[in-house]
Amino acid sequence: MERVPVLKIGDILLVSIQIDMEDQVALQLQEDLAEKIVTTGCHGVIIDISALDIVDSFVGRTLATIASVSRVLDAETVVVGMRPAVAITLVELGLSLPGIRTALNVELGIEMLARSRGEVWQDDEDEGDPAAVPAS
Amino acid sequence: MNEESRLIPVATDQDVVRVRQLVRTVSVEAKLSLVDQTKLVTAASELARNTLVYGGGGTVEVARVRNEIRAGVRIVFADQGPGIADLDLALTDGYTTGGGLGLGLSGARRLVDEFAIDTAPGEGTTITITKWCR
Amino acid sequence: MALSPDESGRLADLLSEHADGLVVHWAELVGNGLQGRMSRPELERQTRDLQKGFQQAFAAGARDLTDEEAGELRAQLGELSSNRARQGFSANETAISVFALKDAVLGVIGDTSDAQTLRDFVAFSGFIDRAALFTFDSYVRVREALIADQAEQLLELSTPVVKLWEGVVAVPLVGTLDSARAQVVMERLLQTLVDTGSPYAIIDITGVPAVDTQVAQHILKTVVAARLMGADCIISGIRPQIAQTIVALGIEFGDIATKSSLADALRYVLGKNSYKVVTSKRTEH
Ligand SMILES: Nc1ncnc2c1ncn2[C@@H]1O[C@H](COP(=O)(O)OP(=O)(O)O)[C@@H](O)[C@H]1O
Ligand SMILES: [Mg+2]
């Protein structure tokens, strides 16, 4: 059985799914990730699905479970790279993936993780002011 | 008016992957749009998994079809499993007896143009779906 | 009705025997119908090719247009109609190119009371009718494909997706939105989000006079799909009438951000992102 590799990059675990996963492979990934979060102490997980040409309810549920388990283990998960056709199909299928955070690509996913861990970015000084519209 | 059809036995996880790949190939041949290909492959993945998990295995048959106006792809999922006693219930979003999301049947029906089920307790289940080119 | 083997044999002989005369007469007849929109040499070349096509089909023993022996001829007729359709000739003008062969043959047979010749001509005439129908049919199919292509191009032209700011794209929709167009626009919007890596999209419907349930649903589904991909949509420029429709239709816009103008929407996005917005002095009311 094939296995989806999990890479550690800094404080982040990066998973790039490059194959059409059998259900068993998806479940294995779920286990591997939980294991890796604990052994590495990483606080962020990025799952890149840009190579997937479909996501069905099984993969959808696996992603949701991964996100929930990670949260329990104090790690934030971001799913990145979902293709437009896949997203349109998921909406029709009725799968809204509640509880999963998403970003358009790996870069934006990393930014999202950084922001939610409170690492304020240089040019984000006025974070406290939600409206940039000047009040007259 | 079927052109030649292709049959895949469904007995393992791997067969479900094969079904997805075959449906993709045939959808491309039939010139379905990318979004329609994606919808059909997703529906097929759901139904083939049901054939495996709930039907105890069976077959999936994929064929290109054409009627007076359009071309399309038709897929038949057949198993000799326990059948579905309460079809309305099984087709309800969120209903599952196997700890799934309960979106396979109901979702697949929304993803295709035609959806027909032939099932009875103890008689197995046959589901036929069709997606037409726009 | 199919020809008898004898008939197709005799027709092959007839066509080859009078080849030159037939082609000249035939090309003339077709030329009159096309009113000089095709050059004479071009027309004669085409006609000669067709004449050969018919002759060879009969010589090979074709008894009907659907026979295997007539495969080459069918391909020729298909190409003829496809060319004519693309060059803008009418269906009539295209079918004449085939029908005229009847008159041309009648011309070479001349006055005759020979029963066999007449029977041959009737059988031949039936064959030509089917060939002309076939041509007509392929002509229509090509025209339909052309029209579908053009409709699609128009659709693309009328639905620009523009990058408004770093990280923000906008679709200014203008004109009536039908379901097909809404679908195309929305797919393009989502693809643009990926291509430009923009996490924000503004769908501006200031220029849209009305929406129906289906279109509103399309917009709604797009917003949800964008969210699944990791992008946020803001809808701007909803006219009062459309707002009424949306409410009357019971469509839940829920927590989707709506702004009255494209400018407001952009300001909102930039604010959310805590970009520094430099505005000239203005008063809020
Ligand atoms: N081929 C089948 N044979 C028997 N029962 C089936 C079959 N397909 C679906 N079912 C029943 O319908 C229910 C709903 O199926 P589905 O919508 O795919 O959701 P899920 O797979 O998540 O359970 C299943 O839980 C099962 O009880
Ligand atoms: Mg299922």
Side-chain angles (χ1 to χ4, degrees):
Chain A
M1 194 179 72
E2 285 173 285
R3 229 178 165 122
V4 179
V6 179
L7 306 176
K8 180 177 181 296
I9 298 171
D11 187 35
I12 290 172
L13 293 177
L14 177 67
V15 182
S16 178
I17 304 174
Q18 295 291 335
I19 51 165
D20 187 340
M21 293 186 293
E22 281 171 40
D23 292 0
Q24 210 50 50
V25 176
L27 293 176
Q28 183 69 50
L29 171 63
Q30 188 180 312
E31 270 177 43
D32 289 352
L33 256 176
E35 196 86 10
K36 265 276 176 62
I37 292 172
V38 173
T39 54
T40 60
C42 284
H43 293 295
V45 177
I46 289 185
I47 304 178
D48 181 6
I49 60 168
S50 58
L52 290 190
D53 56 18
I54 72 148
V55 168
D56 62 15
S57 70
F58 189 86
V59 172
R61 183 174 60 137
T62 308
L63 293 174
T65 310
I66 288 174
S68 308
V69 170
S70 309
R71 204 164 297 133
V72 174
L73 298 171
D74 192 25
E76 194 74 45
T77 304
V78 182
V79 172
V80 307
M82 183 185 292
R83 298 183 183 183
V86 171
I88 291 170
T89 301
L90 282 183
V91 172
E92 213 68 50
L93 189 66
L95 204 68
S96 54
L97 301 179
I100 294 189
R101 308 187 63 191
T102 55
L104 288 171
N105 53 42
V106 175
E107 217 181 317
L108 290 167
I110 292 174
E111 249 175 60
M112 183 178 268
L113 285 176
R115 223 175 304 142
S116 69
R117 297 277 332 158
E119 294 173 23
V120 181
W121 291 64
Q122 278 302 79
D123 52 358
D124 257 2
E125 291 145 343
D126 46 0
E127 180 98 325
D129 174 18
V133 181
S136 76
Chain B
M1 277 194 147
N2 283 23
E3 294 172 36
E4 123 245 23
S5 70
R6 283 167 263 186
L7 190 89
I8 293 188
V10 176
T12 66
D13 267 6
Q14 247 178 342
D15 294 332
V16 177
V17 175
R18 264 185 220 119
V19 168
R20 288 200 286 262
Q21 287 163 351
L22 174 61
V23 173
R24 173 71 65 178
T25 308
V26 176
S27 301
V28 170
E29 284 170 9
K31 301 205 169 75
L32 287 182
S33 74
L34 178 62
V35 170
D36 285 344
Q37 288 171 31
T38 309
K39 288 182 175 175
L40 188 61
V41 175
T42 306
S45 182
E46 295 293 344
L47 298 177
R49 182 180 293 107
N50 284 355
T51 301
L52 176 67
V53 175
Y54 300 114
T59 57
V60 173
E61 193 176 354
V62 187
R64 283 172 64 182
V65 287
R66 118 174 325 282
N67 65 13
E68 292 309 308
I69 12 179
R70 290 187 287 189
V73 179
R74 178 163 296 156
I75 315 175
V76 182
F77 306 80
D79 67 60
Q80 302 299 316
I84 303 173
D86 189 338
L87 204 49
D88 283 343
L89 191 58
L91 276 165
T92 308
D93 273 353
Y95 175 80
T96 176
T97 57
L101 290 175
L103 289 173
L105 281 181
S106 52
R109 180 159 69 165
R110 283 190 290 270
L111 291 174
V112 298
D113 297 317
E114 287 165 27
F115 184 97
I117 301 193
D118 185 12
T119 184
E123 303 280 301
T125 302
T126 300
I127 298 181
T128 306
I129 61 176
T130 312
K131 188 99 190 154
W132 296 109
C133 289
R134 258 148 243 297
Chain C
M1 268 227 314
L3 306 172
S4 73
D6 286 351
E7 280 167 345
S8 58
R10 281 197 297 274
L11 286 169
D13 292 344
L14 179 86
L15 290 180
S16 84
E17 196 179 319
H18 300 282
D20 290 336
L22 268 177
V23 169
V24 173
H25 190 189
W26 187 3
E28 198 176 281
L29 288 169
V30 178
N32 292 342
L34 298 184
Q35 287 159 352
R37 275 183 295 152
M38 193 179 280
S39 77
R40 196 57 198 238
E42 168 76 3
L43 200 59
E44 278 194 18
R45 195 190 51 74
Q46 271 188 11
T47 311
R48 186 168 298 280
D49 285 351
L50 264 187
Q51 184 271 340
K52 276 200 199 112
F54 276 102
Q55 183 193 324
Q56 279 161 3
F58 290 136
R63 298 173 50 200
D64 208 342
L65 190 64
T66 48
D67 287 354
E68 203 182 313
E69 292 83 359
E72 191 73 19
L73 176 61
R74 283 197 305 274
Q76 254 183 318
L77 293 172
E79 201 181 305
L80 173 87
S81 37
S82 153
N83 286 339
R84 294 281 156 89
R86 276 173 216 289
Q87 289 158 357
F89 290 101
S90 74
N92 239 331
E93 289 163 338
T94 305
I96 287 281
S97 309
V98 178
F99 274 131
L101 177 56
K102 270 196 214 178
D103 286 331
V105 167
L106 204 54
V108 300
I109 296 175
D111 285 337
T112 177
S113 52
D114 174 25
Q116 190 191 32
T117 309
L118 285 177
R119 262 200 308 277
D120 280 359
F121 183 73
V122 170
F124 176 66
S125 177
F127 189 95
I128 295 289
D129 287 345
R130 287 191 291 281
L133 270 180
F134 176 85
T135 311
F136 188 80
D137 216 49
S138 355
Y139 173 92
V140 170
R141 220 163 310 137
V142 173
R143 288 297 289 186
E144 270 170 5
L146 278 177
I147 291 167
D149 276 358
Q150 285 166 353
E152 197 157 314
Q153 284 167 9
L154 267 178
L155 213 56
E156 302 245 315
L157 279 177
S158 60
T159 53
V161 178
V162 292
K163 188 168 165 180
L164 210 58
W165 200 276
E166 193 55 43
V168 189
V169 298
V171 221
L173 294 175
V174 177
T176 313
L177 267 187
D178 59 18
S179 181
R181 181 166 168 231
Q183 204 162 336
V184 172
V185 188
M186 297 307 156
E187 282 175 26
R188 286 191 58 211
L189 170 62
L190 296 179
Q191 189 57 50
T192 310
L193 294 177
V194 175
D195 295 344
T196 58
S198 307
Y200 292 97
I202 300 171
I203 304 173
D204 183 71
I205 58 174
T206 310
V208 178
V211 294
D212 61 13
T213 330
Q214 276 206 331
V215 171
Q217 293 287 8
H218 273 309
I219 297 180
L220 205 64
K221 283 179 184 171
T222 307
V223 175
V224 180
R227 236 176 238 175
L228 281 174
M229 293 165 56
D232 262 333
C233 294
I234 294 96
I235 300 176
S236 68
I238 302 183
R239 288 155 174 258
Q241 232 170 342
I242 294 183
Q244 306 269 12
T245 316
I246 289 171
V247 174
L249 292 171
I251 292 164
E252 197 57 71
F253 261 58
D255 51 350
I256 296 170
T258 53
K259 295 285 160 233
S260 61
S261 70
L262 187 61
D264 272 354
L266 181 60
R267 202 173 299 119
Y268 166 81
V269 170
L270 299 181
K272 249 180 97 147
N273 245 356
S274 37
Y275 284 97
K276 288 200 185 80
V277 182
V278 184
T279 47
S280 54
K281 227 181 157 52
R282 65 192 285 276
T283 329
E284 299 281 276
H285 32 231

Short mmCIF file of all heavy atoms in Angstrom, two decimals, chain B residues 77-125:
data_model
loop_
_atom_site.label_atom_id
_atom_site.label_comp_id
_atom_site.label_asym_id
_atom_site.label_seq_id
_atom_site.Cartn_x
_atom_site.Cartn_y
_atom_site.Cartn_z
N PHE B 77 -24.18 0.60 -11.20
CA PHE B 77 -23.55 -0.03 -10.03
C PHE B 77 -24.48 -1.15 -9.59
O PHE B 77 -25.64 -0.90 -9.29
CB PHE B 77 -23.41 0.98 -8.89
CG PHE B 77 -22.69 2.24 -9.29
CD1 PHE B 77 -23.36 3.25 -9.97
CD2 PHE B 77 -21.34 2.41 -9.01
CE1 PHE B 77 -22.71 4.41 -10.36
CE2 PHE B 77 -20.68 3.58 -9.40
CZ PHE B 77 -21.37 4.57 -10.07
N ALA B 78 -23.96 -2.38 -9.53
CA ALA B 78 -24.84 -3.50 -9.18
C ALA B 78 -24.21 -4.36 -8.10
O ALA B 78 -23.02 -4.66 -8.14
CB ALA B 78 -25.13 -4.34 -10.42
N ASP B 79 -25.01 -4.72 -7.10
CA ASP B 79 -24.54 -5.68 -6.09
C ASP B 79 -25.66 -6.63 -5.71
O ASP B 79 -26.82 -6.38 -6.00
CB ASP B 79 -23.98 -4.93 -4.86
CG ASP B 79 -25.06 -4.19 -4.08
OD1 ASP B 79 -26.02 -4.85 -3.59
OD2 ASP B 79 -24.95 -2.95 -3.94
N GLN B 80 -25.27 -7.74 -5.08
CA GLN B 80 -26.24 -8.75 -4.64
C GLN B 80 -26.35 -8.70 -3.12
O GLN B 80 -26.65 -9.70 -2.48
CB GLN B 80 -25.77 -10.15 -5.06
CG GLN B 80 -25.57 -10.31 -6.56
CD GLN B 80 -26.87 -10.09 -7.31
OE1 GLN B 80 -27.91 -10.60 -6.89
NE2 GLN B 80 -26.82 -9.33 -8.39
N GLY B 81 -26.13 -7.52 -2.55
CA GLY B 81 -26.14 -7.38 -1.10
C GLY B 81 -27.53 -7.37 -0.50
O GLY B 81 -28.48 -7.83 -1.12
N PRO B 82 -27.64 -6.80 0.71
CA PRO B 82 -28.89 -6.84 1.46
C PRO B 82 -30.00 -5.96 0.90
O PRO B 82 -31.16 -6.08 1.32
CB PRO B 82 -28.49 -6.33 2.85
CG PRO B 82 -27.29 -5.48 2.60
CD PRO B 82 -26.56 -6.12 1.47
N GLY B 83 -29.68 -5.09 -0.05
CA GLY B 83 -30.70 -4.18 -0.57
C GLY B 83 -30.99 -3.07 0.42
O GLY B 83 -30.46 -3.04 1.53
N ILE B 84 -31.83 -2.13 0.00
CA ILE B 84 -32.16 -0.99 0.86
C ILE B 84 -33.66 -1.04 1.16
O ILE B 84 -34.48 -0.98 0.25
CB ILE B 84 -31.81 0.35 0.18
CG1 ILE B 84 -30.31 0.36 -0.18
CG2 ILE B 84 -32.15 1.52 1.08
CD1 ILE B 84 -29.87 1.56 -1.00
N ALA B 85 -34.00 -1.17 2.43
CA ALA B 85 -35.40 -1.33 2.81
C ALA B 85 -36.16 0.00 2.70
O ALA B 85 -37.21 0.07 2.07
CB ALA B 85 -35.52 -1.90 4.22
N ASP B 86 -35.60 1.05 3.31
CA ASP B 86 -36.29 2.34 3.28
C ASP B 86 -35.49 3.33 2.43
O ASP B 86 -34.55 3.96 2.90
CB ASP B 86 -36.43 2.88 4.72
CG ASP B 86 -37.33 4.10 4.76
OD1 ASP B 86 -37.49 4.76 3.71
OD2 ASP B 86 -37.87 4.39 5.84
N LEU B 87 -35.90 3.42 1.17
CA LEU B 87 -35.14 4.20 0.20
C LEU B 87 -35.17 5.70 0.53
O LEU B 87 -34.16 6.39 0.43
CB LEU B 87 -35.70 3.96 -1.19
CG LEU B 87 -34.76 4.22 -2.36
CD1 LEU B 87 -33.42 3.55 -2.15
CD2 LEU B 87 -35.40 3.74 -3.65
N ASP B 88 -36.35 6.19 0.93
CA ASP B 88 -36.47 7.61 1.26
C ASP B 88 -35.50 7.98 2.37
O ASP B 88 -34.83 9.02 2.32
CB ASP B 88 -37.90 7.96 1.70
CG ASP B 88 -38.82 8.04 0.50
OD1 ASP B 88 -38.28 8.16 -0.63
OD2 ASP B 88 -40.03 7.97 0.69
N LEU B 89 -35.43 7.10 3.36
CA LEU B 89 -34.53 7.34 4.48
C LEU B 89 -33.08 7.34 4.01
O LEU B 89 -32.30 8.23 4.35
CB LEU B 89 -34.77 6.28 5.55
CG LEU B 89 -34.10 6.51 6.91
CD1 LEU B 89 -34.57 7.82 7.51
CD2 LEU B 89 -34.43 5.34 7.84
N ALA B 90 -32.72 6.32 3.21
CA ALA B 90 -31.34 6.20 2.74
C ALA B 90 -30.94 7.40 1.90
O ALA B 90 -29.77 7.78 1.84
CB ALA B 90 -31.16 4.91 1.94
N LEU B 91 -31.94 8.01 1.24
CA LEU B 91 -31.65 9.17 0.38
C LEU B 91 -31.69 10.50 1.13
O LEU B 91 -31.58 11.56 0.53
CB LEU B 91 -32.65 9.21 -0.77
CG LEU B 91 -32.29 8.32 -1.97
CD1 LEU B 91 -33.48 8.13 -2.88
CD2 LEU B 91 -31.11 8.89 -2.73
N THR B 92 -31.85 10.43 2.44
CA THR B 92 -31.87 11.65 3.24
C THR B 92 -30.44 12.08 3.56
O THR B 92 -29.62 11.26 3.96
CB THR B 92 -32.63 11.41 4.56
OG1 THR B 92 -33.90 10.85 4.26
CG2 THR B 92 -32.79 12.71 5.33
N ASP B 93 -30.17 13.38 3.37
CA ASP B 93 -28.84 13.91 3.71
C ASP B 93 -28.51 13.57 5.16
O ASP B 93 -29.30 13.82 6.06
CB ASP B 93 -28.83 15.44 3.59
CG ASP B 93 -28.50 15.87 2.16
OD1 ASP B 93 -28.17 15.00 1.34
OD2 ASP B 93 -28.59 17.09 1.89
N GLY B 94 -27.35 12.96 5.38
CA GLY B 94 -26.90 12.72 6.74
C GLY B 94 -27.28 11.35 7.29
O GLY B 94 -26.82 10.95 8.35
N TYR B 95 -28.13 10.60 6.56
CA TYR B 95 -28.49 9.28 7.09
C TYR B 95 -27.41 8.26 6.75
O TYR B 95 -27.03 8.10 5.59
CB TYR B 95 -29.83 8.82 6.51
CG TYR B 95 -30.18 7.40 6.94
CD1 TYR B 95 -30.71 7.15 8.20
CD2 TYR B 95 -29.91 6.32 6.10
CE1 TYR B 95 -30.98 5.86 8.61
CE2 TYR B 95 -30.19 5.02 6.50
CZ TYR B 95 -30.72 4.79 7.76
OH TYR B 95 -30.98 3.51 8.16
N THR B 96 -26.94 7.57 7.75
CA THR B 96 -25.93 6.53 7.53
C THR B 96 -26.10 5.41 8.53
O THR B 96 -26.50 5.64 9.67
CB THR B 96 -24.50 7.11 7.65
OG1 THR B 96 -23.55 6.04 7.52
CG2 THR B 96 -24.27 7.78 9.00
N THR B 97 -25.84 4.17 8.08
CA THR B 97 -25.84 3.05 9.02
C THR B 97 -24.41 2.58 9.25
O THR B 97 -24.17 1.65 9.99
CB THR B 97 -26.66 1.86 8.47
OG1 THR B 97 -26.10 1.48 7.21
CG2 THR B 97 -28.12 2.23 8.31
N GLY B 98 -23.47 3.27 8.58
CA GLY B 98 -22.10 2.78 8.66
C GLY B 98 -21.12 3.81 9.20
O GLY B 98 -19.92 3.69 8.97
N GLY B 99 -21.63 4.83 9.86
CA GLY B 99 -20.72 5.83 10.42
C GLY B 99 -20.10 6.73 9.37
O GLY B 99 -19.04 7.31 9.58
N GLY B 100 -20.76 6.85 8.22
CA GLY B 100 -20.26 7.77 7.19
C GLY B 100 -20.87 9.14 7.40
O GLY B 100 -21.41 9.44 8.47
N LEU B 101 -20.81 9.97 6.35
CA LEU B 101 -21.43 11.29 6.45
C LEU B 101 -22.87 11.25 5.95
O LEU B 101 -23.60 12.23 6.06
CB LEU B 101 -20.64 12.33 5.65
CG LEU B 101 -19.26 12.73 6.20
CD1 LEU B 101 -18.56 13.66 5.25
CD2 LEU B 101 -19.40 13.37 7.58
N GLY B 102 -23.25 10.11 5.36
CA GLY B 102 -24.61 9.99 4.86
C GLY B 102 -24.91 10.92 3.69
O GLY B 102 -26.03 11.36 3.49
N LEU B 103 -23.86 11.22 2.89
CA LEU B 103 -24.06 12.12 1.75
C LEU B 103 -23.83 11.42 0.42
O LEU B 103 -23.94 12.02 -0.64
CB LEU B 103 -23.09 13.31 1.84
CG LEU B 103 -23.38 14.34 2.92
CD1 LEU B 103 -22.25 15.35 3.01
CD2 LEU B 103 -24.70 15.03 2.64
N GLY B 104 -23.52 10.11 0.49
CA GLY B 104 -23.18 9.39 -0.74
C GLY B 104 -24.35 9.31 -1.71
O GLY B 104 -24.26 9.78 -2.84
N LEU B 105 -25.44 8.72 -1.25
CA LEU B 105 -26.60 8.53 -2.13
C LEU B 105 -27.24 9.87 -2.49
O LEU B 105 -27.44 10.19 -3.66
CB LEU B 105 -27.65 7.66 -1.44
CG LEU B 105 -27.42 6.15 -1.43
CD1 LEU B 105 -28.58 5.46 -0.71
CD2 LEU B 105 -27.31 5.62 -2.85
N SER B 106 -27.56 10.66 -1.47
CA SER B 106 -28.25 11.93 -1.71
C SER B 106 -27.38 12.88 -2.52
O SER B 106 -27.85 13.52 -3.46
CB SER B 106 -28.64 12.56 -0.39
OG SER B 106 -27.51 12.65 0.46
N GLY B 107 -26.09 12.94 -2.18
CA GLY B 107 -25.19 13.83 -2.89
C GLY B 107 -25.00 13.39 -4.34
O GLY B 107 -25.05 14.21 -5.25
N ALA B 108 -24.81 12.09 -4.55
CA ALA B 108 -24.60 11.58 -5.90
C ALA B 108 -25.81 11.92 -6.77
O ALA B 108 -25.67 12.30 -7.93
CB ALA B 108 -24.37 10.07 -5.89
N ARG B 109 -27.00 11.84 -6.19
CA ARG B 109 -28.21 12.15 -6.96
C ARG B 109 -28.19 13.61 -7.42
O ARG B 109 -28.59 13.92 -8.54
CB ARG B 109 -29.46 11.89 -6.12
CG ARG B 109 -30.73 12.22 -6.90
CD ARG B 109 -31.94 11.53 -6.38
NE ARG B 109 -32.35 12.05 -5.09
CZ ARG B 109 -33.55 11.81 -4.55
NH1 ARG B 109 -34.42 11.06 -5.20
NH2 ARG B 109 -33.86 12.30 -3.38
N ARG B 110 -27.69 14.50 -6.58
CA ARG B 110 -27.63 15.92 -6.98
C ARG B 110 -26.56 16.18 -8.04
O ARG B 110 -26.63 17.15 -8.77
CB ARG B 110 -27.32 16.80 -5.75
CG ARG B 110 -28.51 17.03 -4.83
CD ARG B 110 -28.19 18.10 -3.79
NE ARG B 110 -27.21 17.64 -2.81
CZ ARG B 110 -27.52 17.03 -1.65
NH1 ARG B 110 -28.79 16.83 -1.35
NH2 ARG B 110 -26.58 16.63 -0.83
N LEU B 111 -25.55 15.32 -8.09
CA LEU B 111 -24.43 15.57 -8.99
C LEU B 111 -24.66 15.10 -10.43
O LEU B 111 -23.88 15.42 -11.31
CB LEU B 111 -23.16 14.88 -8.45
CG LEU B 111 -22.58 15.47 -7.16
CD1 LEU B 111 -21.43 14.60 -6.66
CD2 LEU B 111 -22.10 16.88 -7.40
N VAL B 112 -25.73 14.31 -10.66
CA VAL B 112 -25.94 13.77 -12.00
C VAL B 112 -27.27 14.25 -12.58
O VAL B 112 -28.07 14.87 -11.89
CB VAL B 112 -25.89 12.22 -11.98
CG1 VAL B 112 -24.52 11.74 -11.51
CG2 VAL B 112 -27.00 11.65 -11.09
N ASP B 113 -27.48 13.95 -13.87
CA ASP B 113 -28.73 14.38 -14.52
C ASP B 113 -29.84 13.35 -14.35
O ASP B 113 -31.01 13.69 -14.28
CB ASP B 113 -28.49 14.62 -16.01
CG ASP B 113 -27.49 15.75 -16.24
OD1 ASP B 113 -27.61 16.77 -15.54
OD2 ASP B 113 -26.60 15.61 -17.09
N GLU B 114 -29.46 12.07 -14.36
CA GLU B 114 -30.46 11.02 -14.17
C GLU B 114 -29.96 10.05 -13.11
O GLU B 114 -28.78 9.72 -13.07
CB GLU B 114 -30.71 10.27 -15.49
CG GLU B 114 -31.50 11.10 -16.49
CD GLU B 114 -31.42 10.52 -17.89
OE1 GLU B 114 -31.23 9.28 -18.02
OE2 GLU B 114 -31.54 11.30 -18.85
N PHE B 115 -30.90 9.61 -12.27
CA PHE B 115 -30.53 8.75 -11.14
C PHE B 115 -31.67 7.78 -10.91
O PHE B 115 -32.79 8.20 -10.65
CB PHE B 115 -30.32 9.66 -9.92
CG PHE B 115 -29.84 8.95 -8.67
CD1 PHE B 115 -28.49 8.92 -8.35
CD2 PHE B 115 -30.74 8.34 -7.82
CE1 PHE B 115 -28.05 8.30 -7.19
CE2 PHE B 115 -30.30 7.71 -6.66
CZ PHE B 115 -28.95 7.69 -6.34
N ALA B 116 -31.40 6.47 -11.02
CA ALA B 116 -32.47 5.49 -10.80
C ALA B 116 -31.96 4.37 -9.91
O ALA B 116 -30.85 3.88 -10.07
CB ALA B 116 -32.92 4.92 -12.15
N ILE B 117 -32.80 3.97 -8.93
CA ILE B 117 -32.40 2.88 -8.04
C ILE B 117 -33.39 1.74 -8.18
O ILE B 117 -34.60 1.96 -8.21
CB ILE B 117 -32.42 3.29 -6.56
CG1 ILE B 117 -31.48 4.46 -6.31
CG2 ILE B 117 -31.99 2.13 -5.68
CD1 ILE B 117 -31.22 4.71 -4.84
N ASP B 118 -32.85 0.53 -8.26
CA ASP B 118 -33.68 -0.65 -8.24
C ASP B 118 -33.18 -1.50 -7.08
O ASP B 118 -32.07 -2.01 -7.11
CB ASP B 118 -33.51 -1.39 -9.58
CG ASP B 118 -34.45 -2.57 -9.68
OD1 ASP B 118 -35.36 -2.68 -8.83
OD2 ASP B 118 -34.26 -3.38 -10.61
N THR B 119 -33.99 -1.60 -6.02
CA THR B 119 -33.53 -2.34 -4.85
C THR B 119 -34.71 -2.88 -4.05
O THR B 119 -35.81 -2.34 -4.12
CB THR B 119 -32.66 -1.44 -3.93
OG1 THR B 119 -32.14 -2.22 -2.84
CG2 THR B 119 -33.48 -0.29 -3.34
N ALA B 120 -34.46 -3.96 -3.33
CA ALA B 120 -35.47 -4.50 -2.42
C ALA B 120 -34.72 -5.33 -1.39
O ALA B 120 -33.63 -5.84 -1.68
CB ALA B 120 -36.46 -5.39 -3.17
N PRO B 121 -35.26 -5.44 -0.17
CA PRO B 121 -34.56 -6.20 0.86
C PRO B 121 -34.24 -7.61 0.37
O PRO B 121 -35.11 -8.30 -0.15
CB PRO B 121 -35.56 -6.22 2.02
CG PRO B 121 -36.41 -5.02 1.80
CD PRO B 121 -36.50 -4.84 0.32
N GLY B 122 -32.99 -7.99 0.52
CA GLY B 122 -32.56 -9.32 0.12
C GLY B 122 -32.34 -9.49 -1.37
O GLY B 122 -31.94 -10.57 -1.83
N GLU B 123 -32.61 -8.45 -2.14
CA GLU B 123 -32.54 -8.58 -3.61
C GLU B 123 -31.37 -7.85 -4.23
O GLU B 123 -31.27 -7.75 -5.44
CB GLU B 123 -33.83 -8.03 -4.24
CG GLU B 123 -35.11 -8.67 -3.75
CD GLU B 123 -35.36 -10.01 -4.43
OE1 GLU B 123 -35.46 -10.01 -5.67
OE2 GLU B 123 -35.44 -11.03 -3.72
N GLY B 124 -30.51 -7.26 -3.40
CA GLY B 124 -29.41 -6.50 -3.96
C GLY B 124 -29.83 -5.10 -4.40
O GLY B 124 -30.99 -4.72 -4.26
N THR B 125 -28.87 -4.34 -4.91
CA THR B 125 -29.13 -2.96 -5.29
C THR B 125 -28.49 -2.66 -6.64
O THR B 125 -27.34 -3.04 -6.88
CB THR B 125 -28.53 -2.00 -4.23
OG1 THR B 125 -29.10 -2.31 -2.96
CG2 THR B 125 -28.79 -0.54 -4.58
#
